[in-house]
Amino acid sequence: VDSTRDNLLIMFSRFYRQSKKSSYKSSQRRFSQTYQNLRLPRTALRTTLLTACAAGLVLAPFLSSSHTAQANEVNDIRENERIIHNIVQEEMKEHTDGGPPIYRIVLTGGPCGGKSTALATISERLQALGYRVFRVPEAASLLLTGTGLLPWMLDESEQIVFEGSMVKTKIALEDVFYDIAKASGFPSVILCDRGTMDTAAYLPDEQWEVLLDEYKWNTVDIRDKRYDAIIHLVTSAIGAEKYYTLENNAARSEDIHLARELDFKVLNAWVGHPTIRIVDNSTDFKGKIERVEEAICQVIGAPRPSSGERKFVVNGPIQRDALDSLPFKCETFEVEQTYLIPNSDHLKGYNYIRRRGHNGTYTYTHSMFRQPPSVGSTEEFDHVIVENSISGREYRRLMKQKDENRVTVKKEVQCFLWENNYYELVSFQQPDIGLSILNVENEQEFTTPWFINVRGEVSNVREFSSYFIAGEFDGKTKQLWRQNQKMIDSFKKAKYSALESITDENLEE
C-alpha cells in the first residue's frame, strides 16, 4: 500500500504541474502514458487517478495567482523529496544493522562566514524531511571564553596541550550528541560548528604532527571516518568585505587580512576528506544559506536538483616526483569500489560499497544511487545518492553480494586545493584503461590548473562513470579506453557538443 501511494503521489505531482503549462490534449496524452507505465493495481488506481487528474485540469485555469502557483510548486517538490527520500532510506536499512541513519556534518570556514546563521536556519529544513537535528557548539569559543587564554600567549608545549584539549573537547561533545541521537531511534543529523581538523589550521605542520603523535591519533580516523561531509563557508572577508564584522562573536579577534589567511588554512586542513563542499560569496547571504541547505540535502540523500560535478579527461595523474615541487598540499588515496547485485523494486539505480584510505588505514561506505521512475519530466529530480559509513565487518558481509557481472574498480585519487577550488584527480588502475579524470564541483567558477593537461569534458557522460566502466571491461585484458568504441564516440560528441549538429558522417572528421 505504501509503495502504491508513494508512486501515485510522485506521478500525479508531475502530471499536475505539466497540466498547468500545457494544452488539454497534451495533458491527456501525458496522463495516458503515465497510467500505462504504472505497474500497480488497476482497480485501486483508476478512480483515484481519474478524479485527482480531472480536478487538476479543472482547477488549473483558476490558479492564476503567482504566489499560489509558486506555493503549490514548492509543496509538490517537497512532498516528492520526502517520498523518494523515505524509499531510499528504507532500502538502506535492509543492508545495514537496521538502525536509523545518523549523519555527522561539519560547518566550517573562515571567521564571519555565516556558520552560526546557517546552523540556526537549516534545522527546520531537515526536520521537514523527518530528521532530528542536533547542533554541537564550537569548542574553541567554549575554551577561549572560559579560560581567558589565547594560544599565542602560550609556549610551544603549553600550546600543544591547549590545542590537544580543544580537539578532545570537540570529540567528547560530538560523541555525546551521537549517543543521544542513536538512543532516540530517529534518523538524525548532527551539525558540528567546526570539527577536529580546524585545529590544524592554527598550528604549524610540525606541531600538528607532534599533537597527533602525543594523543595517538591519525588523520584518517579523526577526519575521514568521523564526519560524513564538510561544508566550508567562505569568510565574508573574501568577496563580501563590507559585511565582515567581529561583533557577533566575543572570541573573534581577526582583522580582515588574517580572516582571509585563516579561511585558506582551514580549507587546506580538510583536503583529503571524501566529501567537501565550498560555499562562497557569489550570491547574497540568503542565497549562500540556500546553497548550504542544498549541499546538506545532497549528503543525506534528499532528492534536490543536483549540480553534481564537472568531469574532465586529463593526460594522467600528477607524478610523484612533481608533487614536492608544487605549491599546495596534495593527499593521495587508494579507492576500491565494488558494485552489488541490484534489488530495488521502487526506484532505478544501483548499490556499491567503497573502501578508501592509505597506509593500511581505511574508511568504508555503502552507497545507493537512485533515480525517480522514468515517467514524465525529470526536471525537478536528477538523482539521489545516500551514503552511509559502515564498519569493516559490514563491508566484508556486503562483499558477498558482489555483482559478478562487474569488476571491482580500483582507483588512485589525488585531492588538492587550487585557487580556492577543491579538485579530485582520479586515475583508474583496475581495469587499467589509461584513464584519468579531474573532478570539480559544478557550480564553482574555476580555471584549469596549469600543471594539468585537459583533453575534454565528460560531465554527465554515462560511458565515463565508474558504473559503466565496471561492466564494460573485464579487468584482465589490457585495453585502453580510447580503443573502446562506445567511450570514444561519447567523448567526441561531448567534446564537440557546442556545435549545432553533428552527424555520424562528420563525427570522425
mmCIF file of all heavy atoms in Angstrom, residues 147-176:
data_model
loop_
_atom_site.group_PDB
_atom_site.id
_atom_site.type_symbol
_atom_site.label_atom_id
_atom_site.label_comp_id
_atom_site.label_asym_id
_atom_site.label_seq_id
_atom_site.Cartn_x
_atom_site.Cartn_y
_atom_site.Cartn_z
ATOM 1 N N THR A 147 38.493 30.049 29.583
ATOM 2 C CA THR A 147 39.812 30.112 30.214
ATOM 3 C C THR A 147 40.424 31.506 30.170
ATOM 4 O O THR A 147 41.301 31.827 30.980
ATOM 5 C CB THR A 147 40.783 29.145 29.520
ATOM 6 O OG1 THR A 147 40.981 29.557 28.153
ATOM 7 C CG2 THR A 147 40.232 27.731 29.533
ATOM 8 N N GLY A 148 39.979 32.318 29.200
ATOM 9 C CA GLY A 148 40.587 33.636 29.040
ATOM 10 C C GLY A 148 41.963 33.584 28.415
ATOM 11 O O GLY A 148 42.675 34.600 28.371
ATOM 12 N N LEU A 149 42.378 32.406 27.927
ATOM 13 C CA LEU A 149 43.698 32.241 27.332
ATOM 14 C C LEU A 149 43.613 32.323 25.814
ATOM 15 O O LEU A 149 42.608 31.950 25.214
ATOM 16 C CB LEU A 149 44.295 30.879 27.732
ATOM 17 C CG LEU A 149 44.574 30.656 29.217
ATOM 18 C CD1 LEU A 149 45.034 29.225 29.445
ATOM 19 C CD2 LEU A 149 45.621 31.645 29.724
ATOM 20 N N LEU A 150 44.688 32.793 25.214
ATOM 21 C CA LEU A 150 44.833 32.781 23.766
ATOM 22 C C LEU A 150 46.060 31.944 23.430
ATOM 23 O O LEU A 150 47.107 32.076 24.088
ATOM 24 C CB LEU A 150 44.989 34.199 23.220
ATOM 25 C CG LEU A 150 43.772 35.112 23.377
ATOM 26 C CD1 LEU A 150 44.113 36.538 22.926
ATOM 27 C CD2 LEU A 150 42.589 34.577 22.580
ATOM 28 N N PRO A 151 45.961 31.068 22.425
ATOM 29 C CA PRO A 151 47.076 30.160 22.131
ATOM 30 C C PRO A 151 48.404 30.870 21.915
ATOM 31 O O PRO A 151 49.456 30.360 22.310
ATOM 32 C CB PRO A 151 46.596 29.443 20.860
ATOM 33 C CG PRO A 151 45.115 29.481 20.948
ATOM 34 C CD PRO A 151 44.791 30.791 21.584
ATOM 35 N N TRP A 152 48.389 32.049 21.302
ATOM 36 C CA TRP A 152 49.649 32.728 21.020
ATOM 37 C C TRP A 152 50.331 33.244 22.289
ATOM 38 O O TRP A 152 51.508 33.634 22.277
ATOM 39 C CB TRP A 152 49.444 33.875 20.025
ATOM 40 C CG TRP A 152 48.469 34.938 20.457
ATOM 41 C CD1 TRP A 152 47.145 34.993 20.164
ATOM 42 C CD2 TRP A 152 48.753 36.087 21.265
ATOM 43 N NE1 TRP A 152 46.571 36.106 20.732
ATOM 44 C CE2 TRP A 152 47.547 36.805 21.410
ATOM 45 C CE3 TRP A 152 49.912 36.588 21.876
ATOM 46 C CZ2 TRP A 152 47.450 37.981 22.152
ATOM 47 C CZ3 TRP A 152 49.814 37.771 22.612
ATOM 48 C CH2 TRP A 152 48.596 38.450 22.741
ATOM 49 N N MET A 153 49.591 33.227 23.416
ATOM 50 C CA MET A 153 50.174 33.639 24.690
ATOM 51 C C MET A 153 50.997 32.527 25.334
ATOM 52 O O MET A 153 51.734 32.761 26.293
ATOM 53 C CB MET A 153 49.048 34.063 25.655
ATOM 54 C CG MET A 153 48.202 35.232 25.181
ATOM 55 S SD MET A 153 46.682 35.429 26.153
ATOM 56 C CE MET A 153 47.315 35.444 27.820
ATOM 57 N N LEU A 154 50.872 31.290 24.824
ATOM 58 C CA LEU A 154 51.463 30.118 25.461
ATOM 59 C C LEU A 154 52.750 29.717 24.766
ATOM 60 O O LEU A 154 52.957 29.999 23.583
ATOM 61 C CB LEU A 154 50.466 28.963 25.424
ATOM 62 C CG LEU A 154 49.049 29.271 25.934
ATOM 63 C CD1 LEU A 154 48.135 28.087 25.695
ATOM 64 C CD2 LEU A 154 49.073 29.649 27.408
ATOM 65 N N ASP A 155 53.620 29.029 25.510
ATOM 66 C CA ASP A 155 54.808 28.475 24.863
ATOM 67 C C ASP A 155 54.412 27.219 24.100
ATOM 68 O O ASP A 155 53.257 26.775 24.156
ATOM 69 C CB ASP A 155 55.920 28.193 25.876
ATOM 70 C CG ASP A 155 55.515 27.173 26.940
ATOM 71 O OD1 ASP A 155 54.727 26.243 26.624
ATOM 72 O OD2 ASP A 155 55.972 27.298 28.079
ATOM 73 N N GLU A 156 55.370 26.618 23.390
ATOM 74 C CA GLU A 156 55.034 25.529 22.464
ATOM 75 C C GLU A 156 54.420 24.333 23.176
ATOM 76 O O GLU A 156 53.414 23.777 22.710
ATOM 77 C CB GLU A 156 56.291 25.095 21.711
ATOM 78 C CG GLU A 156 56.027 24.004 20.689
ATOM 79 C CD GLU A 156 57.244 23.679 19.846
ATOM 80 O OE1 GLU A 156 58.088 24.581 19.619
ATOM 81 O OE2 GLU A 156 57.361 22.509 19.411
ATOM 82 N N SER A 157 54.984 23.910 24.292
ATOM 83 C CA SER A 157 54.451 22.735 24.991
ATOM 84 C C SER A 157 53.053 23.008 25.546
ATOM 85 O O SER A 157 52.158 22.149 25.470
ATOM 86 C CB SER A 157 55.395 22.321 26.128
ATOM 87 O OG SER A 157 55.542 23.386 27.062
ATOM 88 N N GLU A 158 52.840 24.206 26.080
ATOM 89 C CA GLU A 158 51.505 24.564 26.579
ATOM 90 C C GLU A 158 50.499 24.653 25.434
ATOM 91 O O GLU A 158 49.331 24.261 25.587
ATOM 92 C CB GLU A 158 51.567 25.906 27.315
ATOM 93 C CG GLU A 158 52.280 25.873 28.647
ATOM 94 C CD GLU A 158 52.335 27.233 29.299
ATOM 95 O OE1 GLU A 158 52.772 28.190 28.632
ATOM 96 O OE2 GLU A 158 51.918 27.358 30.481
ATOM 97 N N GLN A 159 50.951 25.165 24.309
ATOM 98 C CA GLN A 159 50.051 25.318 23.175
ATOM 99 C C GLN A 159 49.586 23.962 22.656
ATOM 100 O O GLN A 159 48.417 23.795 22.301
ATOM 101 C CB GLN A 159 50.741 26.095 22.054
ATOM 102 C CG GLN A 159 49.808 26.499 20.919
ATOM 103 C CD GLN A 159 50.495 27.382 19.903
ATOM 104 O OE1 GLN A 159 51.698 27.585 19.961
ATOM 105 N NE2 GLN A 159 49.735 27.919 18.972
ATOM 106 N N ILE A 160 50.494 22.985 22.619
ATOM 107 C CA ILE A 160 50.117 21.642 22.163
ATOM 108 C C ILE A 160 49.081 21.042 23.098
ATOM 109 O O ILE A 160 48.088 20.430 22.668
ATOM 110 C CB ILE A 160 51.368 20.748 22.054
ATOM 111 C CG1 ILE A 160 52.240 21.205 20.877
ATOM 112 C CG2 ILE A 160 50.974 19.283 21.880
ATOM 113 C CD1 ILE A 160 53.544 20.452 20.741
ATOM 114 N N VAL A 161 49.275 21.231 24.413
ATOM 115 C CA VAL A 161 48.295 20.723 25.381
ATOM 116 C C VAL A 161 46.958 21.432 25.213
ATOM 117 O O VAL A 161 45.881 20.805 25.236
ATOM 118 C CB VAL A 161 48.826 20.895 26.822
ATOM 119 C CG1 VAL A 161 47.723 20.557 27.835
ATOM 120 C CG2 VAL A 161 50.043 20.024 27.052
ATOM 121 N N PHE A 162 46.999 22.759 25.030
ATOM 122 C CA PHE A 162 45.772 23.541 24.876
ATOM 123 C C PHE A 162 45.006 23.104 23.622
ATOM 124 O O PHE A 162 43.795 22.835 23.681
ATOM 125 C CB PHE A 162 46.113 25.025 24.788
ATOM 126 C CG PHE A 162 44.913 25.931 24.753
ATOM 127 C CD1 PHE A 162 44.317 26.383 25.921
ATOM 128 C CD2 PHE A 162 44.362 26.330 23.538
ATOM 129 C CE1 PHE A 162 43.204 27.215 25.882
ATOM 130 C CE2 PHE A 162 43.255 27.160 23.490
ATOM 131 C CZ PHE A 162 42.679 27.601 24.666
ATOM 132 N N GLU A 163 45.715 23.028 22.482
ATOM 133 C CA GLU A 163 45.052 22.646 21.225
ATOM 134 C C GLU A 163 44.614 21.184 21.267
ATOM 135 O O GLU A 163 43.553 20.831 20.739
ATOM 136 C CB GLU A 163 45.978 22.888 20.041
ATOM 137 C CG GLU A 163 46.400 24.342 19.834
ATOM 138 C CD GLU A 163 45.260 25.224 19.362
ATOM 139 O OE1 GLU A 163 44.146 24.720 19.155
ATOM 140 O OE2 GLU A 163 45.478 26.443 19.186
ATOM 141 N N GLY A 164 45.417 20.316 21.889
ATOM 142 C CA GLY A 164 45.009 18.920 22.030
ATOM 143 C C GLY A 164 43.762 18.780 22.879
ATOM 144 O O GLY A 164 42.868 17.982 22.579
ATOM 145 N N SER A 165 43.673 19.579 23.943
ATOM 146 C CA SER A 165 42.475 19.566 24.789
ATOM 147 C C SER A 165 41.264 20.061 24.022
ATOM 148 O O SER A 165 40.138 19.584 24.234
ATOM 149 C CB SER A 165 42.710 20.437 26.028
ATOM 150 O OG SER A 165 43.794 19.959 26.789
ATOM 151 N N MET A 166 41.499 21.018 23.111
ATOM 152 C CA MET A 166 40.392 21.523 22.300
ATOM 153 C C MET A 166 39.848 20.425 21.392
ATOM 154 O O MET A 166 38.628 20.254 21.252
ATOM 155 C CB MET A 166 40.850 22.719 21.470
ATOM 156 C CG MET A 166 39.728 23.446 20.741
ATOM 157 S SD MET A 166 40.317 24.893 19.855
ATOM 158 C CE MET A 166 40.942 25.902 21.194
ATOM 159 N N VAL A 167 40.752 19.652 20.767
ATOM 160 C CA VAL A 167 40.304 18.544 19.913
ATOM 161 C C VAL A 167 39.578 17.497 20.747
ATOM 162 O O VAL A 167 38.530 16.969 20.339
ATOM 163 C CB VAL A 167 41.506 17.910 19.173
ATOM 164 C CG1 VAL A 167 41.053 16.690 18.372
ATOM 165 C CG2 VAL A 167 42.163 18.926 18.241
ATOM 166 N N LYS A 168 40.105 17.192 21.939
ATOM 167 C CA LYS A 168 39.436 16.218 22.816
ATOM 168 C C LYS A 168 38.051 16.702 23.204
ATOM 169 O O LYS A 168 37.099 15.911 23.286
ATOM 170 C CB LYS A 168 40.281 15.991 24.073
ATOM 171 C CG LYS A 168 41.551 15.185 23.832
ATOM 172 C CD LYS A 168 42.404 15.111 25.080
ATOM 173 C CE LYS A 168 41.701 14.359 26.204
ATOM 174 N NZ LYS A 168 42.570 14.246 27.399
ATOM 175 N N THR A 169 37.911 18.010 23.427
ATOM 176 C CA THR A 169 36.593 18.565 23.765
ATOM 177 C C THR A 169 35.626 18.409 22.601
ATOM 178 O O THR A 169 34.452 18.036 22.799
ATOM 179 C CB THR A 169 36.734 20.052 24.136
ATOM 180 O OG1 THR A 169 37.639 20.195 25.226
ATOM 181 C CG2 THR A 169 35.391 20.639 24.522
ATOM 182 N N LYS A 170 36.105 18.686 21.392
ATOM 183 C CA LYS A 170 35.258 18.508 20.208
ATOM 184 C C LYS A 170 34.788 17.066 20.098
ATOM 185 O O LYS A 170 33.599 16.792 19.887
ATOM 186 C CB LYS A 170 36.028 18.894 18.943
ATOM 187 C CG LYS A 170 36.369 20.364 18.816
ATOM 188 C CD LYS A 170 37.227 20.613 17.584
ATOM 189 C CE LYS A 170 37.680 22.067 17.498
ATOM 190 N NZ LYS A 170 38.564 22.321 16.358
ATOM 191 N N ILE A 171 35.715 16.142 20.223
ATOM 192 C CA ILE A 171 35.379 14.721 20.082
ATOM 193 C C ILE A 171 34.384 14.306 21.160
ATOM 194 O O ILE A 171 33.406 13.592 20.884
ATOM 195 C CB ILE A 171 36.653 13.870 20.146
ATOM 196 C CG1 ILE A 171 37.519 14.124 18.904
ATOM 197 C CG2 ILE A 171 36.318 12.391 20.266
ATOM 198 C CD1 ILE A 171 38.868 13.426 18.943
ATOM 199 N N ALA A 172 34.613 14.758 22.403
ATOM 200 C CA ALA A 172 33.714 14.388 23.508
ATOM 201 C C ALA A 172 32.303 14.930 23.280
ATOM 202 O O ALA A 172 31.303 14.214 23.462
ATOM 203 C CB ALA A 172 34.283 14.902 24.828
ATOM 204 N N LEU A 173 32.207 16.206 22.878
ATOM 205 C CA LEU A 173 30.894 16.795 22.612
ATOM 206 C C LEU A 173 30.172 16.062 21.487
ATOM 207 O O LEU A 173 28.975 15.738 21.597
ATOM 208 C CB LEU A 173 31.053 18.273 22.255
ATOM 209 C CG LEU A 173 31.366 19.246 23.399
ATOM 210 C CD1 LEU A 173 31.716 20.619 22.850
ATOM 211 C CD2 LEU A 173 30.186 19.344 24.353
ATOM 212 N N GLU A 174 30.889 15.795 20.409
ATOM 213 C CA GLU A 174 30.273 15.109 19.262
ATOM 214 C C GLU A 174 29.810 13.706 19.643
ATOM 215 O O GLU A 174 28.731 13.265 19.219
ATOM 216 C CB GLU A 174 31.266 15.047 18.102
ATOM 217 C CG GLU A 174 31.581 16.395 17.491
ATOM 218 C CD GLU A 174 32.818 16.390 16.619
ATOM 219 O OE1 GLU A 174 33.383 15.295 16.413
ATOM 220 O OE2 GLU A 174 33.224 17.468 16.141
ATOM 221 N N ASP A 175 30.610 13.014 20.449
ATOM 222 C CA ASP A 175 30.236 11.652 20.861
ATOM 223 C C ASP A 175 29.005 11.660 21.754
ATOM 224 O O ASP A 175 28.144 10.772 21.659
ATOM 225 C CB ASP A 175 31.407 10.980 21.581
ATOM 226 C CG ASP A 175 32.551 10.617 20.638
ATOM 227 O OD1 ASP A 175 32.332 10.660 19.410
ATOM 228 O OD2 ASP A 175 33.654 10.293 21.127
ATOM 229 N N VAL A 176 28.905 12.661 22.628
ATOM 230 C CA VAL A 176 27.726 12.769 23.491
ATOM 231 C C VAL A 176 26.466 12.983 22.649
ATOM 232 O O VAL A 176 25.438 12.312 22.843
ATOM 233 C CB VAL A 176 27.896 13.924 24.505
ATOM 234 C CG1 VAL A 176 26.565 14.254 25.175
ATOM 235 C CG2 VAL A 176 28.935 13.552 25.556
#
